[in-house]
Amino acid sequence: MERYTVSLEDELAGEFEQFIQKHGYKNRSEAVRDLIRDKLKQERLESEPDSQCVGCLSYVYNHHERDLARRLTERHHGHHDISLSTLHVHLDQDNCLESVILKGKTPEVQAFADEVISQPGVRHGRLFILPMYT
Ligand code: NI
């Protein structure tokens, strides 16, 4: 194992200590390792267009919004190869939450998520991507 010595400004060091406590890390090294792993994983996903990923796309929408439910359903059927499963929750009288499990090439999963999130009436859309292989 290699050892690194890192200097941090006081403010950044303070924020990092709060991060360590909040997430319950036993020591700084484990926290730094996780941050580096996470950043490198993201870099790898973005630099390899053929990389396979699984994703979870979540968004909220108002089901009274004109034509929106039909437009969303159409998008899902149009990409039935990557849109594997959808959980639908009726949040209140007006709003719905959908969480969708996606699987495929990273750029295709990202493009599908962008297409859904950019639909007028879709709010708070977020895509979480994990690599399928290390
Ligand atoms: Ni609903």
Side-chain angles (χ1 to χ4, degrees):
M1 191 174 286
E2 293 191 37
R3 283 182 156 272
Y4 290 81
T5 303
V6 179
S7 303
L8 300 178
E9 302 92 22
D10 292 347
E11 193 180 336
L12 186 58
E15 276 186 52
F16 186 49
E17 287 303 324
Q18 285 177 10
F19 174 86
I20 289 169
Q21 284 175 15
K22 180 181 169 191
H23 293 278
Y25 283 105
K26 297 276 187 284
N27 57 61
R28 290 175 181 162
S29 290
E30 191 51 38
V32 169
R33 280 193 288 269
D34 270 6
L35 288 174
I36 292 175
R37 277 190 205 108
D38 197 50
K39 188 66 184 171
L40 293 179
K41 177 182 74 186
Q42 206 60 43
E43 285 282 312
R44 200 165 55 236
L45 280 172
E46 289 168 9
S47 65
E48 295 175 9
D50 286 336
S51 66
Q52 293 284 318
C53 76
V54 284
C56 182
L57 170 65
S58 295
Y59 50 92
V60 172
Y61 67 96
N62 183 325
H63 74 98
H64 298 302
E65 185 88 19
R66 194 173 164 274
D67 211 29
L68 178 56
R70 186 194 62 76
R71 277 187 276 124
L72 289 173
T73 302
E74 234 169 51
R75 297 297 178 288
H76 285 284
H77 280 279
H79 295 85
H80 58 85
D81 51 329
I82 60 174
S83 175
L84 300 185
S85 178
T86 302
L87 170 73
H88 183 107
V89 179
H90 311 299
L91 294 174
D92 56 30
Q93 291 293 329
D94 306 312
N95 297 295
C96 306
L97 164 73
E98 287 193 341
S99 281
V100 187
I101 302 300
L102 305 167
K103 183 178 139 189
K105 289 182 180 176
T106 307
E108 291 169 6
V109 167
Q110 183 71 58
F112 176 73
D114 290 343
E115 197 180 328
V116 169
I117 289 170
S118 65
Q119 288 295 313
V122 170
R123 292 176 287 124
H124 312 304
R126 288 286 294 273
L127 173 65
F128 184 73
I129 284 185
L130 292 171
M132 273 183 59
Y133 311 105
T134 53

